[in-house]
Amino acid sequence: MFDKFDWMEGRYEELSIEVSQPEIIADQAKWQKLLKEHASLEPAVTAYRTYKRTLADIADAQEMLAQPDMAELAQLELEELTQSKAHQEEALRILLLPKDPDDDRSVVMEIRAGAGGEEAALFAGEIVRMYTRYAEKRGFRVSMVNWSDTELGGVKEAVFTVSGAGAFQRLKYESGVHCVKRIPVTESNGKLQTSTCTVAVLPEAEDVEITIDPNDLRIDTYRAGGAGGQHVNRTDSAVRITHIPSGIVVQCQNERSQIQNREVAMRILKSRLYDRLRSEKDSQYAQSRRVQIGTGDRSERVRTYHYMQNRVTDHRIGLTLYNRIDDILGGAIDEFIDALLLAEQAEKLKAL
């Protein structure tokens, strides 16, 4: 294990020198690439150097044990350092775990009302707001791509991007079926109802990764619906793109021009195609080694929001939070996300 960290430390020191060279700085593309590699190594190198200092402190404490007047103090210090060493070794093992190469990407989120009629649409709207508020708290930028609402203000379908480094790492576990148990405002007899919405989280693809043959596309334009005044009513600005080989259909109507809507729709299409390739690779990998918390399958029930019992439960890790539904739907979902990250790390450690 430590050979790997020795190599990382050496490479980190090399990069520290390289990124300060004028000829490297002049080549901005290369400089940015090296800076990114340098930043990616820093957490592991910092942790390893802290660990080496702990080993040196342990050696000093062991020498102090031979001095009668220092033995008691040295023994106390040794016990603390030994405990710290064990924690640091665990942290170093986690740093060696294979990382998801998509973790730093921005994401495309797709939320659709499921079973439950109008109540499901109202719940889907709350889930959309939950993620947009969460994104704002994390400093991510949200851009709506497509929005289909109901007369009561619910959401049939919402597609939006969440842009920012690490967005996929934080949101990827949210894919699946979210359930709500409550008495709907649409229910006159006060009967408890279960409604659902589906959440899909796709890493946003880069242009160099997905190449699309223009001959494989059918592009239709139409008049956007919803609020928007004269622009919406008079302009065929909305765009629908069909990728014929895969059958994937993407539409965008939230930008003001047809060109802008087409550009956004192509981004979403590439992300969906990239997600399909990623899912195929994940399925092949999972056949030999299961290291994921949940499958990421959109049909998997991941979380239930139970109003009568005032609790929210994540079914994959059995974590239930009480008396916090309003906070959670207001974007306070870090506790779930952090627990899911730790659970997956534990699964990966078992698989090593």
Side-chain angles (χ1 to χ4, degrees):
M1 176 174 81
F2 299 117
D3 288 345
K4 179 70 171 176
F5 282 105
D6 286 332
W7 176 87
M8 287 182 181
E9 187 174 32
R11 178 60 179 156
Y12 181 80
E13 290 172 353
E14 288 176 9
L15 289 167
S16 297
I17 296 171
E18 282 190 63
V19 297
S20 63
Q21 300 300 314
E23 62 272 20
I24 298 294
I25 296 173
D27 185 344
Q28 280 293 299
K30 184 176 182 180
W31 186 59
Q32 291 292 338
K33 183 179 179 181
L34 294 177
L35 277 178
K36 187 174 181 180
E37 184 184 357
H38 185 267
S40 70
L41 289 171
E42 188 168 7
V45 171
T46 300
Y48 184 47
R49 288 174 174 174
T50 300
Y51 176 71
K52 290 196 294 184
R53 284 197 296 271
T54 299
L55 294 181
D57 290 342
I58 287 174
D60 291 343
Q62 288 172 334
E63 288 183 7
M64 289 171 59
L65 285 173
Q67 304 175 29
D69 58 332
M70 300 293 291
E72 185 176 352
L73 179 61
Q75 184 60 42
L76 289 172
E77 185 176 357
L78 191 59
E79 289 174 2
E80 291 179 3
L81 288 168
T82 301
Q83 192 174 41
S84 179
K85 172 176 172 284
H87 291 316
Q88 290 169 13
E89 287 175 345
E90 181 71 11
L92 289 173
R93 278 194 289 271
I94 289 173
L95 285 168
L96 284 180
L97 292 176
K99 291 181 173 60
D100 188 332
D102 293 328
D103 274 353
D104 285 336
R105 293 179 187 266
S106 298
V107 303
V108 176
M109 296 197 74
E110 302 177 349
I111 298 173
R112 295 178 177 85
E118 185 65 44
E119 167 65 4
L122 290 170
F123 176 54
E126 292 177 80
I127 293 298
V128 171
R129 285 187 288 276
M130 178 179 78
Y131 290 127
T132 54
R133 288 169 183 167
Y134 176 73
E136 290 166 0
K137 291 176 181 178
R138 299 289 304 191
F140 300 143
R141 185 176 72 257
V142 177
S143 297
M144 194 60 61
V145 173
N146 199 49
W147 179 279
S148 176
D149 55 14
T150 66
E151 291 182 2
L152 294 182
V155 173
K156 296 178 185 176
E157 177 187 70
V159 180
F160 54 95
T161 60
V162 180
S163 304
F168 186 69
Q169 181 189 40
R170 300 301 300 176
L171 291 167
K172 62 183 175 181
Y173 300 104
E174 298 302 300
S175 284
V177 177
H178 292 241
C179 304
V180 64
K181 292 179 181 288
R182 64 186 176 190
I183 299 172
V185 293
T186 56
E187 184 64 56
S188 58
N189 60 12
K191 184 179 179 182
L192 185 69
Q193 178 178 315
T194 299
S195 303
T196 66
C197 75
T198 60
V199 176
V201 182
L202 290 61
E204 188 166 4
E206 297 177 3
D207 287 341
V208 295
E209 296 166 325
I210 300 294
T211 301
I212 298 176
D213 185 343
N215 294 320
D216 289 338
L217 301 177
R218 184 175 70 246
I219 301 176
D220 303 306
T221 59
Y222 59 99
R223 193 158 298 177
Q230 293 180 345
H231 169 72
V232 168
N233 295 330
R234 296 182 180 179
T235 311
D236 289 339
S237 60
V239 173
R240 182 185 298 109
I241 299 178
T242 302
H243 184 247
I244 298 169
S246 66
I248 295 175
V249 179
V250 178
Q251 55 190 27
C252 180
Q253 65 175 15
N254 275 58
E255 302 299 330
R256 290 192 59 82
S257 75
Q258 187 182 118
I259 293 174
Q260 289 174 315
N261 279 323
R262 178 170 174 161
E263 289 175 352
V264 173
M266 285 298 296
R267 282 173 54 201
I268 303 303
L269 175 59
K270 289 179 179 180
S271 295
R272 288 189 185 174
L273 289 170
Y274 179 79
D275 182 63
R276 179 170 291 190
L277 292 173
R278 172 188 165 89
S279 297
E280 289 172 359
K281 290 179 182 178
D282 286 348
S283 296
Q284 293 168 4
Y285 183 66
Q287 289 176 3
S288 60
R289 179 177 292 174
R290 184 171 180 79
V291 294
Q292 291 179 302
I293 297 301
T295 62
D297 193 313
R298 298 176 196 181
S299 65
E300 179 187 16
R301 185 179 63 149
V302 295
R303 199 171 295 149
T304 295
Y305 307 74
H306 200 303
Y307 273 76
M308 301 299 287
Q309 298 177 8
N310 202 3
R311 63 174 172 81
V312 180
T313 298
D314 193 290
H315 304 288
R316 295 161 293 181
I317 51 176
L319 174 61
T320 298
L321 301 180
Y322 291 92
N323 304 318
R324 292 169 56 187
I325 286 184
D326 290 340
D327 288 341
I328 290 166
L329 288 173
I333 57 174
D334 269 326
E335 193 165 346
F336 283 119
I337 291 172
D338 291 339
L340 286 159
L341 281 166
L342 287 172
E344 180 146 320
Q345 287 176 352
E347 290 295 319
K348 286 181 177 178
L349 285 169
K350 288 180 188 176
L352 287 179

